[in-house]
Amino acid sequence: IDGAVEFVTGPVTPPAGNGSVRLFTGTNGTARSEIGNTISFFGTRLDSITTAFSYSTYATLMPGDKLPVVEMRVDVGGFSDTLTFRPNANPGQVPALNTWQTWSLKDGLWFSDVFSILALPNPTTLPNYLAEFPDATITRVLFATDGGVFVTDVFDQNVDNFILNDTVYDFEKAGVVLIGPPLNKDEC
């Protein structure tokens, strides 16, 4: 497999800093490129997301209108669910090539594996999800290519500027840089 997940400079001027994480499927478009984090978000309650919740995407190659997705694995009272945000399923903004676009996760539509099983409206909003599962907590956040149907569906895309409440996760060539509020008065 010749795909890659790598921290890079650019493309062009990213929304935070000067780098991003590149998700490239290589010549096999049915493969998946992904990067995730369990430690930073584990145990974060969904109802604690009160200010900002967004991320930015850039696509050099995009089969159809598929940009990188966000998958959140959540614990909903002893069992797991996967919530998936797909930019192309959210009205108001059209996925585009060769431009940075920012997507609101807080106000967007999410697909829930559990909602599908329970025959609840799907996709759904986070407030509707919390109405069903008020104690839902994040166990993992993952960014991934949305998956091609054919081998020729090659993805070459970037993610940057993931914001959760007051913290920005800025993907740079050297890795992830956290930008957040001061932790104490000496940092002011």
Side-chain angles (χ1 to χ4, degrees):
I1 296 177
D2 57 353
V5 174
E6 58 187 343
F7 292 100
V8 297
T9 300
V12 295
T13 304
N18 62 13
S20 63
V21 63
R22 178 182 181 220
L23 305 172
F24 178 55
T25 58
T27 56
N28 182 358
T30 59
R32 178 177 163 120
S33 292
E34 63 183 41
I35 185 169
N37 183 313
T38 357
I39 297 174
S40 296
F41 312 107
F42 188 86
T44 301
R45 291 177 55 96
L46 282 184
D47 63 2
S48 74
I49 302 171
T50 56
T51 55
F53 194 33
S54 63
Y55 77 120
S56 300
T57 61
Y58 186 97
T60 305
L61 292 172
M62 169 178 65
D65 61 355
K66 294 181 173 185
L67 288 170
V69 300
V70 176
E71 288 184 3
M72 273 194 309
R73 308 264 166 78
V74 294
D75 181 315
V76 287
F79 61 94
S80 290
D81 190 9
T82 299
L83 295 175
T84 304
F85 176 91
R86 290 187 168 87
N88 64 350
N90 282 270
Q93 193 172 353
V94 177
L97 285 172
N98 302 314
T99 186
W100 281 102
Q101 295 180 279
T102 299
W103 306 92
S104 173
L105 300 170
K106 185 177 177 193
D107 302 321
L109 297 173
W110 292 81
F111 292 88
S112 161
D113 292 348
V114 171
F115 270 37
S116 292
I117 294 166
L118 299 176
L120 294 169
N122 207 10
T124 189
T125 63
L126 289 181
N128 288 343
Y129 190 83
L130 284 165
E132 294 293 328
F133 301 111
D135 296 324
T137 58
I138 299 171
T139 59
R140 183 175 188 200
V141 174
L142 180 80
F143 301 95
T145 53
D146 197 11
V149 177
F150 304 104
V151 173
T152 55
D153 289 342
V154 177
F155 295 82
D156 192 357
Q157 305 174 339
N158 298 70
V159 173
D160 191 32
N161 198 40
F162 176 59
I163 301 173
L164 177 62
N165 284 330
D166 296 327
T167 304
V168 175
Y169 296 81
D170 173 18
F171 302 119
E172 294 296 327
K173 187 166 176 79
V176 181
V177 176
L178 298 182
I179 304 166
L183 298 176
N184 60 55
K185 66 179 177 71
D186 296 328
E187 291 184 354
C188 293

Short mmCIF file of all heavy atoms in Angstrom, two decimals, residues 40-101:
data_model
loop_
_atom_site.label_atom_id
_atom_site.label_comp_id
_atom_site.label_asym_id
_atom_site.label_seq_id
_atom_site.Cartn_x
_atom_site.Cartn_y
_atom_site.Cartn_z
N SER A 40 -6.28 12.56 24.52
CA SER A 40 -6.68 13.95 24.74
C SER A 40 -8.17 14.12 24.98
O SER A 40 -8.59 15.06 25.64
CB SER A 40 -6.28 14.82 23.54
OG SER A 40 -4.90 14.85 23.41
N PHE A 41 -8.99 13.23 24.46
CA PHE A 41 -10.43 13.42 24.50
C PHE A 41 -11.16 12.43 25.38
O PHE A 41 -12.35 12.60 25.64
CB PHE A 41 -11.00 13.36 23.08
CG PHE A 41 -10.23 14.20 22.12
CD1 PHE A 41 -9.41 13.63 21.18
CD2 PHE A 41 -10.29 15.58 22.19
CE1 PHE A 41 -8.67 14.41 20.30
CE2 PHE A 41 -9.56 16.37 21.32
CZ PHE A 41 -8.75 15.78 20.37
N PHE A 42 -10.48 11.38 25.84
CA PHE A 42 -11.12 10.31 26.59
C PHE A 42 -11.84 10.88 27.81
O PHE A 42 -11.27 11.60 28.62
CB PHE A 42 -10.11 9.26 27.03
CG PHE A 42 -10.74 8.05 27.65
CD1 PHE A 42 -11.17 7.01 26.84
CD2 PHE A 42 -10.94 7.97 29.00
CE1 PHE A 42 -11.78 5.89 27.39
CE2 PHE A 42 -11.55 6.86 29.56
CZ PHE A 42 -11.98 5.83 28.75
N GLY A 43 -13.12 10.56 27.92
CA GLY A 43 -13.91 10.99 29.07
C GLY A 43 -14.54 12.36 28.94
O GLY A 43 -15.28 12.79 29.83
N THR A 44 -14.29 13.06 27.84
CA THR A 44 -14.93 14.36 27.63
C THR A 44 -16.42 14.14 27.39
O THR A 44 -16.81 13.40 26.49
CB THR A 44 -14.32 15.10 26.41
OG1 THR A 44 -12.92 15.29 26.63
CG2 THR A 44 -14.99 16.44 26.18
N ARG A 45 -17.23 14.77 28.20
CA ARG A 45 -18.68 14.65 28.02
C ARG A 45 -19.13 15.47 26.81
O ARG A 45 -18.67 16.60 26.63
CB ARG A 45 -19.41 15.12 29.28
CG ARG A 45 -19.21 14.20 30.48
CD ARG A 45 -19.89 14.76 31.72
NE ARG A 45 -21.30 15.03 31.50
CZ ARG A 45 -22.29 14.19 31.82
NH1 ARG A 45 -22.01 13.03 32.39
NH2 ARG A 45 -23.55 14.50 31.59
N LEU A 46 -20.02 14.91 26.02
CA LEU A 46 -20.52 15.65 24.87
C LEU A 46 -21.22 16.94 25.30
O LEU A 46 -21.14 17.95 24.62
CB LEU A 46 -21.49 14.79 24.04
CG LEU A 46 -20.88 13.75 23.13
CD1 LEU A 46 -21.97 13.06 22.31
CD2 LEU A 46 -19.86 14.37 22.20
N ASP A 47 -21.90 16.91 26.43
CA ASP A 47 -22.61 18.11 26.88
C ASP A 47 -21.66 19.19 27.41
O ASP A 47 -22.09 20.31 27.71
CB ASP A 47 -23.70 17.79 27.89
CG ASP A 47 -23.19 17.18 29.19
OD1 ASP A 47 -21.96 17.03 29.36
OD2 ASP A 47 -24.03 16.82 30.04
N SER A 48 -20.37 18.88 27.50
CA SER A 48 -19.40 19.90 27.93
C SER A 48 -18.88 20.71 26.75
O SER A 48 -18.13 21.68 26.94
CB SER A 48 -18.22 19.25 28.67
OG SER A 48 -17.36 18.58 27.75
N ILE A 49 -19.26 20.34 25.54
CA ILE A 49 -18.85 21.10 24.35
C ILE A 49 -19.82 22.26 24.21
O ILE A 49 -20.93 22.11 23.69
CB ILE A 49 -18.83 20.21 23.09
CG1 ILE A 49 -17.88 19.03 23.31
CG2 ILE A 49 -18.44 21.02 21.88
CD1 ILE A 49 -17.95 17.97 22.23
N THR A 50 -19.41 23.41 24.74
CA THR A 50 -20.33 24.53 24.83
C THR A 50 -19.94 25.72 23.96
O THR A 50 -20.78 26.56 23.68
CB THR A 50 -20.44 25.01 26.28
OG1 THR A 50 -19.14 25.34 26.75
CG2 THR A 50 -21.06 23.93 27.17
N THR A 51 -18.69 25.82 23.55
CA THR A 51 -18.29 26.99 22.75
C THR A 51 -18.02 26.55 21.31
O THR A 51 -18.95 26.44 20.54
CB THR A 51 -17.07 27.70 23.38
OG1 THR A 51 -16.01 26.77 23.57
CG2 THR A 51 -17.43 28.31 24.73
N ALA A 52 -16.79 26.28 20.97
CA ALA A 52 -16.45 25.96 19.58
C ALA A 52 -16.22 24.46 19.40
O ALA A 52 -15.72 23.78 20.30
CB ALA A 52 -15.21 26.72 19.16
N PHE A 53 -16.57 23.96 18.23
CA PHE A 53 -16.34 22.57 17.87
C PHE A 53 -16.33 22.53 16.34
O PHE A 53 -17.38 22.55 15.70
CB PHE A 53 -17.45 21.69 18.45
CG PHE A 53 -17.19 20.21 18.43
CD1 PHE A 53 -15.90 19.70 18.58
CD2 PHE A 53 -18.23 19.32 18.28
CE1 PHE A 53 -15.66 18.33 18.58
CE2 PHE A 53 -18.02 17.94 18.27
CZ PHE A 53 -16.73 17.45 18.42
N SER A 54 -15.11 22.50 15.75
CA SER A 54 -15.00 22.59 14.29
C SER A 54 -13.67 22.01 13.82
O SER A 54 -12.79 21.70 14.63
CB SER A 54 -15.14 24.04 13.83
OG SER A 54 -14.08 24.82 14.35
N TYR A 55 -13.53 21.88 12.51
CA TYR A 55 -12.26 21.48 11.91
C TYR A 55 -12.23 22.00 10.49
O TYR A 55 -13.25 22.39 9.92
CB TYR A 55 -12.04 19.97 11.97
CG TYR A 55 -12.82 19.13 10.97
CD1 TYR A 55 -12.15 18.32 10.06
CD2 TYR A 55 -14.20 19.12 10.95
CE1 TYR A 55 -12.85 17.52 9.17
CE2 TYR A 55 -14.92 18.33 10.06
CZ TYR A 55 -14.24 17.53 9.17
OH TYR A 55 -14.92 16.74 8.29
N SER A 56 -11.03 22.01 9.89
CA SER A 56 -10.87 22.51 8.53
C SER A 56 -10.30 21.43 7.63
O SER A 56 -9.48 20.61 8.07
CB SER A 56 -9.93 23.73 8.52
OG SER A 56 -10.47 24.76 9.32
N THR A 57 -10.74 21.43 6.36
CA THR A 57 -10.30 20.44 5.38
C THR A 57 -9.78 21.12 4.13
O THR A 57 -10.16 22.24 3.81
CB THR A 57 -11.46 19.51 4.98
OG1 THR A 57 -12.51 20.29 4.39
CG2 THR A 57 -12.00 18.73 6.16
N TYR A 58 -8.93 20.38 3.42
CA TYR A 58 -8.40 20.80 2.13
C TYR A 58 -8.29 19.55 1.27
O TYR A 58 -7.81 18.52 1.76
CB TYR A 58 -7.02 21.44 2.29
CG TYR A 58 -6.45 22.04 1.03
CD1 TYR A 58 -6.59 23.40 0.78
CD2 TYR A 58 -5.79 21.27 0.09
CE1 TYR A 58 -6.07 23.98 -0.37
CE2 TYR A 58 -5.26 21.82 -1.06
CZ TYR A 58 -5.41 23.18 -1.29
OH TYR A 58 -4.89 23.75 -2.43
N ALA A 59 -8.74 19.61 0.03
CA ALA A 59 -8.68 18.43 -0.84
C ALA A 59 -7.97 18.75 -2.14
O ALA A 59 -8.35 19.68 -2.85
CB ALA A 59 -10.08 17.91 -1.12
N THR A 60 -6.94 17.97 -2.45
CA THR A 60 -6.28 18.03 -3.74
C THR A 60 -6.95 17.02 -4.68
O THR A 60 -7.17 17.30 -5.85
CB THR A 60 -4.78 17.71 -3.60
OG1 THR A 60 -4.23 18.61 -2.64
CG2 THR A 60 -4.05 17.88 -4.91
N LEU A 61 -7.28 15.84 -4.15
CA LEU A 61 -8.04 14.82 -4.87
C LEU A 61 -9.23 14.41 -4.01
O LEU A 61 -9.05 14.09 -2.83
CB LEU A 61 -7.18 13.59 -5.16
CG LEU A 61 -6.04 13.76 -6.15
CD1 LEU A 61 -5.17 12.51 -6.19
CD2 LEU A 61 -6.58 14.07 -7.54
N MET A 62 -10.42 14.44 -4.61
CA MET A 62 -11.64 14.16 -3.86
C MET A 62 -12.63 13.45 -4.78
O MET A 62 -13.25 14.10 -5.62
CB MET A 62 -12.22 15.48 -3.34
CG MET A 62 -13.60 15.41 -2.76
SD MET A 62 -14.19 17.01 -2.13
CE MET A 62 -14.29 18.01 -3.61
N PRO A 63 -12.76 12.13 -4.66
CA PRO A 63 -13.77 11.44 -5.47
C PRO A 63 -15.17 11.94 -5.09
O PRO A 63 -15.53 11.95 -3.92
CB PRO A 63 -13.60 9.98 -5.11
CG PRO A 63 -12.22 9.88 -4.54
CD PRO A 63 -11.97 11.20 -3.88
N GLY A 64 -15.91 12.40 -6.07
CA GLY A 64 -17.25 12.94 -5.78
C GLY A 64 -17.12 14.17 -4.91
O GLY A 64 -16.34 15.07 -5.20
N ASP A 65 -17.84 14.17 -3.81
CA ASP A 65 -17.79 15.32 -2.90
C ASP A 65 -17.39 14.88 -1.49
O ASP A 65 -17.81 15.43 -0.51
CB ASP A 65 -19.15 16.03 -2.87
CG ASP A 65 -20.28 15.13 -2.39
OD1 ASP A 65 -20.04 13.92 -2.16
OD2 ASP A 65 -21.41 15.63 -2.23
N LYS A 66 -16.52 13.87 -1.41
CA LYS A 66 -16.14 13.29 -0.12
C LYS A 66 -14.87 13.93 0.43
O LYS A 66 -13.78 13.74 -0.10
CB LYS A 66 -15.94 11.78 -0.25
CG LYS A 66 -17.21 11.03 -0.56
CD LYS A 66 -16.91 9.54 -0.65
CE LYS A 66 -18.17 8.74 -0.78
NZ LYS A 66 -17.88 7.30 -0.76
N LEU A 67 -15.04 14.67 1.50
CA LEU A 67 -13.91 15.26 2.24
C LEU A 67 -13.63 14.42 3.47
O LEU A 67 -14.43 13.55 3.84
CB LEU A 67 -14.27 16.69 2.66
CG LEU A 67 -14.29 17.73 1.54
CD1 LEU A 67 -14.88 19.04 2.04
CD2 LEU A 67 -12.90 17.94 0.98
N PRO A 68 -12.51 14.67 4.18
CA PRO A 68 -12.24 13.91 5.40
C PRO A 68 -13.38 14.01 6.42
O PRO A 68 -13.96 15.08 6.60
CB PRO A 68 -10.97 14.56 5.95
CG PRO A 68 -10.29 15.11 4.76
CD PRO A 68 -11.41 15.58 3.86
N VAL A 69 -13.68 12.89 7.03
CA VAL A 69 -14.75 12.82 8.03
C VAL A 69 -14.14 12.88 9.43
O VAL A 69 -12.94 12.66 9.62
CB VAL A 69 -15.57 11.52 7.89
CG1 VAL A 69 -16.22 11.43 6.52
CG2 VAL A 69 -14.73 10.28 8.18
N VAL A 70 -15.00 13.18 10.40
CA VAL A 70 -14.63 13.08 11.81
C VAL A 70 -15.47 11.94 12.38
O VAL A 70 -16.69 11.90 12.19
CB VAL A 70 -14.94 14.37 12.59
CG1 VAL A 70 -14.65 14.18 14.08
CG2 VAL A 70 -14.15 15.54 12.04
N GLU A 71 -14.80 11.00 13.03
CA GLU A 71 -15.50 9.93 13.74
C GLU A 71 -15.23 10.10 15.22
O GLU A 71 -14.07 10.22 15.63
CB GLU A 71 -15.03 8.56 13.29
CG GLU A 71 -15.49 8.18 11.92
CD GLU A 71 -15.07 6.76 11.53
OE1 GLU A 71 -14.46 6.05 12.36
OE2 GLU A 71 -15.34 6.38 10.38
N MET A 72 -16.29 10.13 15.99
CA MET A 72 -16.16 10.15 17.45
C MET A 72 -16.71 8.84 17.97
O MET A 72 -17.84 8.48 17.69
CB MET A 72 -16.99 11.28 18.06
CG MET A 72 -16.32 12.58 18.15
SD MET A 72 -17.18 13.76 19.22
CE MET A 72 -18.84 13.73 18.64
N ARG A 73 -15.88 8.13 18.70
CA ARG A 73 -16.36 6.96 19.41
C ARG A 73 -16.83 7.48 20.77
O ARG A 73 -16.12 8.25 21.43
CB ARG A 73 -15.26 5.93 19.58
CG ARG A 73 -14.58 5.59 18.27
CD ARG A 73 -15.10 4.36 17.58
NE ARG A 73 -14.66 4.26 16.21
CZ ARG A 73 -13.45 3.86 15.80
NH1 ARG A 73 -12.54 3.54 16.68
NH2 ARG A 73 -13.18 3.80 14.52
N VAL A 74 -18.03 7.08 21.15
CA VAL A 74 -18.59 7.56 22.41
C VAL A 74 -19.09 6.40 23.25
O VAL A 74 -19.52 5.38 22.72
CB VAL A 74 -19.72 8.61 22.20
CG1 VAL A 74 -19.18 9.88 21.58
CG2 VAL A 74 -20.83 8.05 21.35
N ASP A 75 -19.02 6.58 24.55
CA ASP A 75 -19.58 5.63 25.50
C ASP A 75 -20.95 6.18 25.89
O ASP A 75 -21.07 7.32 26.32
CB ASP A 75 -18.67 5.52 26.73
CG ASP A 75 -19.20 4.52 27.75
OD1 ASP A 75 -20.42 4.55 28.03
OD2 ASP A 75 -18.41 3.75 28.28
N VAL A 76 -21.96 5.36 25.70
CA VAL A 76 -23.33 5.77 26.04
C VAL A 76 -23.91 4.80 27.06
O VAL A 76 -24.79 4.01 26.78
CB VAL A 76 -24.23 5.88 24.78
CG1 VAL A 76 -23.86 7.10 23.98
CG2 VAL A 76 -24.13 4.65 23.91
N GLY A 77 -23.37 4.88 28.27
CA GLY A 77 -23.89 4.05 29.35
C GLY A 77 -23.47 2.60 29.27
O GLY A 77 -24.29 1.70 29.46
N GLY A 78 -22.21 2.36 28.98
CA GLY A 78 -21.70 0.99 29.00
C GLY A 78 -21.57 0.34 27.64
O GLY A 78 -21.04 -0.76 27.54
N PHE A 79 -22.06 0.95 26.59
CA PHE A 79 -21.82 0.42 25.26
C PHE A 79 -21.34 1.55 24.37
O PHE A 79 -21.46 2.73 24.69
CB PHE A 79 -23.05 -0.29 24.68
CG PHE A 79 -24.27 0.56 24.50
CD1 PHE A 79 -24.53 1.18 23.29
CD2 PHE A 79 -25.16 0.74 25.55
CE1 PHE A 79 -25.65 1.97 23.13
CE2 PHE A 79 -26.29 1.53 25.39
CZ PHE A 79 -26.53 2.14 24.17
N SER A 80 -20.75 1.17 23.24
CA SER A 80 -20.12 2.16 22.37
C SER A 80 -21.00 2.50 21.17
O SER A 80 -21.76 1.68 20.69
CB SER A 80 -18.79 1.62 21.85
OG SER A 80 -17.86 1.57 22.88
N ASP A 81 -20.83 3.72 20.71
CA ASP A 81 -21.45 4.18 19.48
C ASP A 81 -20.38 4.92 18.69
O ASP A 81 -19.39 5.41 19.26
CB ASP A 81 -22.62 5.11 19.78
CG ASP A 81 -23.47 5.43 18.54
OD1 ASP A 81 -23.27 4.81 17.48
OD2 ASP A 81 -24.35 6.30 18.66
N THR A 82 -20.55 4.99 17.39
CA THR A 82 -19.69 5.81 16.55
C THR A 82 -20.54 6.89 15.91
O THR A 82 -21.55 6.58 15.26
CB THR A 82 -19.01 4.96 15.45
OG1 THR A 82 -18.19 3.96 16.09
CG2 THR A 82 -18.13 5.83 14.56
N LEU A 83 -20.14 8.13 16.12
CA LEU A 83 -20.79 9.27 15.49
C LEU A 83 -19.87 9.73 14.36
O LEU A 83 -18.68 9.94 14.59
CB LEU A 83 -20.98 10.42 16.48
CG LEU A 83 -21.93 10.16 17.64
CD1 LEU A 83 -21.91 11.35 18.60
CD2 LEU A 83 -23.33 9.90 17.13
N THR A 84 -20.41 9.88 13.16
CA THR A 84 -19.61 10.28 12.01
C THR A 84 -20.16 11.56 11.41
O THR A 84 -21.34 11.63 11.06
CB THR A 84 -19.60 9.17 10.94
OG1 THR A 84 -19.13 7.95 11.54
CG2 THR A 84 -18.69 9.54 9.78
N PHE A 85 -19.27 12.56 11.30
CA PHE A 85 -19.61 13.82 10.64
C PHE A 85 -19.05 13.77 9.23
O PHE A 85 -17.85 13.58 9.04
CB PHE A 85 -19.01 15.01 11.39
CG PHE A 85 -19.25 16.33 10.71
CD1 PHE A 85 -20.37 17.09 11.02
CD2 PHE A 85 -18.36 16.81 9.77
CE1 PHE A 85 -20.60 18.29 10.40
CE2 PHE A 85 -18.58 18.02 9.13
CZ PHE A 85 -19.70 18.77 9.44
N ARG A 86 -19.92 13.91 8.23
CA ARG A 86 -19.52 13.95 6.82
C ARG A 86 -19.85 15.33 6.27
O ARG A 86 -21.02 15.70 6.21
CB ARG A 86 -20.28 12.89 6.01
CG ARG A 86 -19.87 11.49 6.32
CD ARG A 86 -20.55 10.50 5.36
NE ARG A 86 -19.94 9.21 5.49
CZ ARG A 86 -20.31 8.30 6.38
NH1 ARG A 86 -21.30 8.54 7.19
NH2 ARG A 86 -19.68 7.14 6.45
N PRO A 87 -18.85 16.09 5.84
CA PRO A 87 -19.13 17.43 5.31
C PRO A 87 -20.17 17.44 4.20
O PRO A 87 -21.03 18.32 4.16
CB PRO A 87 -17.77 17.91 4.79
CG PRO A 87 -16.78 17.20 5.65
CD PRO A 87 -17.40 15.84 5.87
N ASN A 88 -20.14 16.44 3.32
CA ASN A 88 -21.07 16.43 2.18
C ASN A 88 -22.51 16.16 2.59
O ASN A 88 -23.42 16.30 1.78
CB ASN A 88 -20.62 15.45 1.10
CG ASN A 88 -20.61 14.01 1.57
OD1 ASN A 88 -20.76 13.72 2.75
ND2 ASN A 88 -20.40 13.09 0.65
N ALA A 89 -22.77 15.78 3.84
CA ALA A 89 -24.13 15.53 4.32
C ALA A 89 -24.69 16.74 5.07
O ALA A 89 -25.79 16.66 5.62
CB ALA A 89 -24.15 14.31 5.21
N ASN A 90 -23.93 17.81 5.12
CA ASN A 90 -24.34 19.00 5.85
C ASN A 90 -24.70 20.11 4.88
O ASN A 90 -23.88 20.50 4.05
CB ASN A 90 -23.24 19.44 6.82
CG ASN A 90 -23.23 18.56 8.04
OD1 ASN A 90 -23.89 18.85 9.02
ND2 ASN A 90 -22.51 17.45 7.98
N PRO A 91 -25.92 20.62 4.97
CA PRO A 91 -26.35 21.67 4.04
C PRO A 91 -25.65 23.00 4.31
O PRO A 91 -25.13 23.24 5.39
CB PRO A 91 -27.86 21.79 4.32
CG PRO A 91 -28.03 21.29 5.71
CD PRO A 91 -26.94 20.28 5.94
N GLY A 92 -25.64 23.83 3.28
CA GLY A 92 -25.14 25.18 3.44
C GLY A 92 -23.73 25.43 2.94
O GLY A 92 -23.33 26.56 2.74
N GLN A 93 -22.95 24.38 2.73
CA GLN A 93 -21.58 24.55 2.24
C GLN A 93 -21.27 23.36 1.34
O GLN A 93 -21.52 22.22 1.70
CB GLN A 93 -20.61 24.62 3.41
CG GLN A 93 -19.23 25.09 3.04
CD GLN A 93 -18.36 25.34 4.28
OE1 GLN A 93 -18.81 25.28 5.40
NE2 GLN A 93 -17.10 25.61 4.05
N VAL A 94 -20.73 23.64 0.18
CA VAL A 94 -20.42 22.60 -0.80
C VAL A 94 -18.94 22.25 -0.73
O VAL A 94 -18.09 23.14 -0.79
CB VAL A 94 -20.79 23.08 -2.22
CG1 VAL A 94 -20.42 22.02 -3.25
CG2 VAL A 94 -22.27 23.43 -2.30
N PRO A 95 -18.59 20.95 -0.57
CA PRO A 95 -17.18 20.57 -0.58
C PRO A 95 -16.50 21.02 -1.87
O PRO A 95 -17.07 20.89 -2.96
CB PRO A 95 -17.23 19.04 -0.50
CG PRO A 95 -18.53 18.75 0.19
CD PRO A 95 -19.47 19.80 -0.33
N ALA A 96 -15.29 21.57 -1.73
CA ALA A 96 -14.58 22.12 -2.89
C ALA A 96 -13.13 21.66 -2.90
O ALA A 96 -12.56 21.35 -1.86
CB ALA A 96 -14.64 23.64 -2.85
N LEU A 97 -12.56 21.64 -4.09
CA LEU A 97 -11.15 21.30 -4.26
C LEU A 97 -10.27 22.53 -4.07
O LEU A 97 -10.68 23.66 -4.37
CB LEU A 97 -10.90 20.74 -5.66
CG LEU A 97 -11.35 19.31 -5.94
CD1 LEU A 97 -11.22 18.99 -7.42
CD2 LEU A 97 -10.55 18.32 -5.11
N ASN A 98 -9.04 22.30 -3.59
CA ASN A 98 -7.97 23.30 -3.55
C ASN A 98 -8.33 24.57 -2.79
O ASN A 98 -7.90 25.66 -3.16
CB ASN A 98 -7.51 23.64 -4.98
CG ASN A 98 -7.04 22.39 -5.70
OD1 ASN A 98 -6.28 21.60 -5.16
ND2 ASN A 98 -7.50 22.20 -6.91
N THR A 99 -9.08 24.41 -1.71
CA THR A 99 -9.39 25.54 -0.84
C THR A 99 -9.64 25.01 0.58
O THR A 99 -10.19 23.93 0.75
CB THR A 99 -10.60 26.34 -1.35
OG1 THR A 99 -10.77 27.50 -0.56
CG2 THR A 99 -11.88 25.52 -1.32
N TRP A 100 -9.20 25.76 1.56
CA TRP A 100 -9.47 25.39 2.95
C TRP A 100 -10.92 25.72 3.27
O TRP A 100 -11.40 26.80 2.94
CB TRP A 100 -8.54 26.12 3.92
CG TRP A 100 -7.19 25.49 3.98
CD1 TRP A 100 -6.05 25.93 3.37
CD2 TRP A 100 -6.82 24.31 4.68
NE1 TRP A 100 -5.00 25.09 3.64
CE2 TRP A 100 -5.45 24.08 4.45
CE3 TRP A 100 -7.53 23.41 5.48
CZ2 TRP A 100 -4.76 22.99 5.00
CZ3 TRP A 100 -6.85 22.32 6.02
CH2 TRP A 100 -5.48 22.13 5.78
N GLN A 101 -11.62 24.78 3.90
CA GLN A 101 -12.99 24.97 4.33
C GLN A 101 -13.11 24.56 5.79
O GLN A 101 -12.54 23.55 6.20
CB GLN A 101 -13.96 24.12 3.49
CG GLN A 101 -14.01 24.53 2.03
CD GLN A 101 -14.98 23.65 1.26
OE1 GLN A 101 -14.62 22.54 0.86
NE2 GLN A 101 -16.19 24.14 1.04
#
